[in-house]
Amino acid sequence: MSFSFNFDVGGDVVVKNSDEVNGSEIIDNKSDKTGDGGKEKQDIEWLCAKEQVLQDFHLEKISCMLSIEHYDMGSFSLNFVNSESVSKDLESRDYSGDLTPALSSSTDLVSGVYEGGLKIWECSEDLVHFLHDTKGEQLAGMKVLELGCGAALPGVYCFKEGSSVWFSDYNEDVINEVTIPNTLLNVPSDP
């Protein structure tokens, strides 16, 4: 059985126009607009990459976090923000953005819909175990790129082991609300 996120982008993808919306070019799928079952295919919006850097509000957020989780593996642990706390915080700020579906749904698994990065996937925990068991101290000085990082447990583990890590996610709100706080929660006390 093969795995797929079920985001249908069939046909040729071309630039619809040179207009930009919020710094992003709008892309139109020029293929037939009707797909299986007569459903209309949606246009694709390609977002420009933005670099997120550590800012004062990240440090302020860490200092007032009420719920921090710990992923223990015997000789070490990773600290990470509680997703439910992040959700409640976003709701209290009347947040409206890409994470909204994840806030209002009991699941983040809806076919063909991106719903945010508030879930820690089991496979990320498995990868941390694998890295710990097989690579451990070999990670110091390595360069690591974690794509679709979300909570970023594998990247944070590599960071704790001395790697230079670049975190990448589709959603800049995930980077600001989850990835950066998780990284900050794991900065060694004596760098």
Side-chain angles (χ1 to χ4, degrees), residues 6 9 24 26 31 40 43-44 57 66 81 99 101 114 119 141 146 155 163 170 184:
N6 197 26
V9 293
S24 303
I26 304 300
S31 65
E40 186 172 316
D43 290 343
I44 300 169
F57 79 88
L66 298 176
V81 297
L99 293 174
Y114 173 80
K119 176 178 178 33
E146 185 173 357
S163 296
Y170 167 82
L184 290 173

XYZ file of all heavy atoms in Angstrom, residues 6 9 24 26 31 40 43-44 57 66 81 99 101 114 119 141 146 155 163 170 184:
165
model
N -2.544 13.040 -0.938
C -3.757 13.227 -1.718
C -3.980 14.683 -2.130
O -5.100 15.138 -2.196
C -4.976 12.679 -0.960
C -6.152 12.475 -1.890
O -5.976 12.268 -3.086
N -7.357 12.521 -1.357
N -2.333 17.706 -7.968
C -1.789 18.837 -8.716
C -1.490 18.404 -10.151
O -0.566 18.897 -10.773
C -0.516 19.419 -8.051
C -0.850 20.053 -6.739
C 0.547 18.361 -7.895
N 3.346 36.343 -2.602
C 3.289 35.022 -3.219
C 2.709 35.117 -4.619
O 1.737 35.828 -4.847
C 2.397 34.093 -2.402
O 2.857 34.006 -1.090
N 0.516 33.701 -7.614
C -0.633 32.820 -7.733
C -0.406 31.932 -8.958
O -0.116 32.417 -10.046
C -1.941 33.616 -7.889
C -2.123 34.591 -6.727
C -3.126 32.677 -8.029
C -2.194 33.936 -5.381
N -4.899 22.563 -16.433
C -5.551 21.349 -16.921
C -7.050 21.442 -16.681
O -7.560 22.386 -16.095
C -4.968 20.121 -16.228
O -5.271 20.155 -14.859
N -14.402 20.172 -8.680
C -13.566 21.179 -9.317
C -12.188 21.185 -8.670
O -12.063 21.176 -7.451
C -14.205 22.558 -9.177
C -13.463 23.616 -9.945
C -14.198 24.937 -9.970
O -15.415 24.924 -10.180
O -13.533 25.954 -9.762
N -7.086 25.976 -7.600
C -5.841 26.598 -8.011
C -4.813 26.384 -6.912
O -5.146 26.250 -5.743
C -6.035 28.108 -8.236
C -6.872 28.393 -9.476
O -7.033 27.492 -10.317
O -7.366 29.523 -9.599
N -3.566 26.370 -7.300
C -2.483 26.180 -6.347
C -1.849 27.526 -6.072
O -1.532 28.264 -6.996
C -1.416 25.224 -6.906
C -2.030 23.859 -7.197
C -0.246 25.109 -5.939
C -1.107 22.954 -7.980
N 9.950 38.225 20.890
C 8.680 37.604 21.279
C 8.824 36.095 21.473
O 8.078 35.508 22.258
C 7.545 37.956 20.308
C 7.529 37.182 19.013
C 6.870 35.959 18.929
C 8.144 37.691 17.879
C 6.837 35.257 17.734
C 8.110 37.001 16.691
C 7.458 35.779 16.608
N 3.214 27.682 30.200
C 2.713 26.966 31.360
C 2.858 25.456 31.234
O 2.908 24.749 32.229
C 1.237 27.320 31.581
C 0.953 28.791 31.869
C -0.540 29.020 31.966
C 1.656 29.230 33.141
N 6.915 22.076 23.427
C 5.690 22.748 23.846
C 4.516 21.784 23.721
O 4.490 20.915 22.850
C 5.422 24.025 23.022
C 6.510 25.052 23.235
C 5.250 23.728 21.555
N -3.253 27.488 10.555
C -3.442 26.515 11.634
C -4.896 26.420 12.101
O -5.220 25.554 12.899
C -2.558 26.870 12.829
C -1.062 26.752 12.620
C -0.309 27.265 13.841
C -0.682 25.316 12.328
N -7.727 25.204 10.866
C -8.394 23.893 10.835
C -7.918 22.950 11.939
O -8.692 22.164 12.471
C -8.033 23.334 9.451
C -7.742 24.537 8.621
C -7.111 25.521 9.565
N -4.387 20.588 4.036
C -3.293 20.892 4.956
C -3.902 21.550 6.179
O -4.633 22.522 6.054
C -2.273 21.839 4.316
C -1.238 22.279 5.323
C -0.176 21.450 5.644
C -1.357 23.484 5.995
C 0.748 21.812 6.607
C -0.434 23.852 6.949
C 0.614 23.025 7.249
O 1.523 23.375 8.204
N 0.693 18.546 15.440
C 0.785 17.151 15.861
C 2.238 16.692 15.811
O 2.964 17.023 14.885
C -0.045 16.278 14.922
C 0.054 14.806 15.213
C -0.828 14.016 14.278
C -0.765 12.535 14.465
N -0.552 12.009 15.770
N 28.857 18.718 14.764
C 29.483 19.357 13.610
C 28.798 19.084 12.277
O 29.178 19.650 11.259
N 15.942 19.762 8.173
C 14.712 19.015 8.438
C 13.580 19.659 7.664
O 13.199 20.799 7.929
C 14.380 18.963 9.936
C 13.179 18.071 10.180
C 12.850 17.812 11.640
O 13.584 18.271 12.528
O 11.835 17.136 11.874
N 15.230 17.252 14.385
C 16.159 18.373 14.243
C 16.628 18.902 15.579
O 17.796 19.253 15.756
N 24.817 19.492 16.093
C 24.674 19.763 14.659
C 24.208 21.196 14.430
O 23.544 21.786 15.282
C 23.628 18.825 14.039
O 24.025 17.495 14.102
N 6.209 24.316 5.680
C 5.297 25.045 4.799
C 4.704 26.253 5.508
O 4.471 27.282 4.916
C 4.186 24.087 4.343
C 3.009 24.756 3.684
C 3.060 25.116 2.345
C 1.845 25.022 4.399
C 1.984 25.728 1.735
C 0.765 25.636 3.792
C 0.837 25.987 2.458
O -0.219 26.601 1.866
N 14.372 26.476 21.415
C 14.804 27.258 22.568
C 14.729 26.458 23.870
O 15.575 26.628 24.751
C 13.968 28.541 22.704
C 14.203 29.604 21.638
C 13.194 30.732 21.784
C 15.625 30.136 21.716
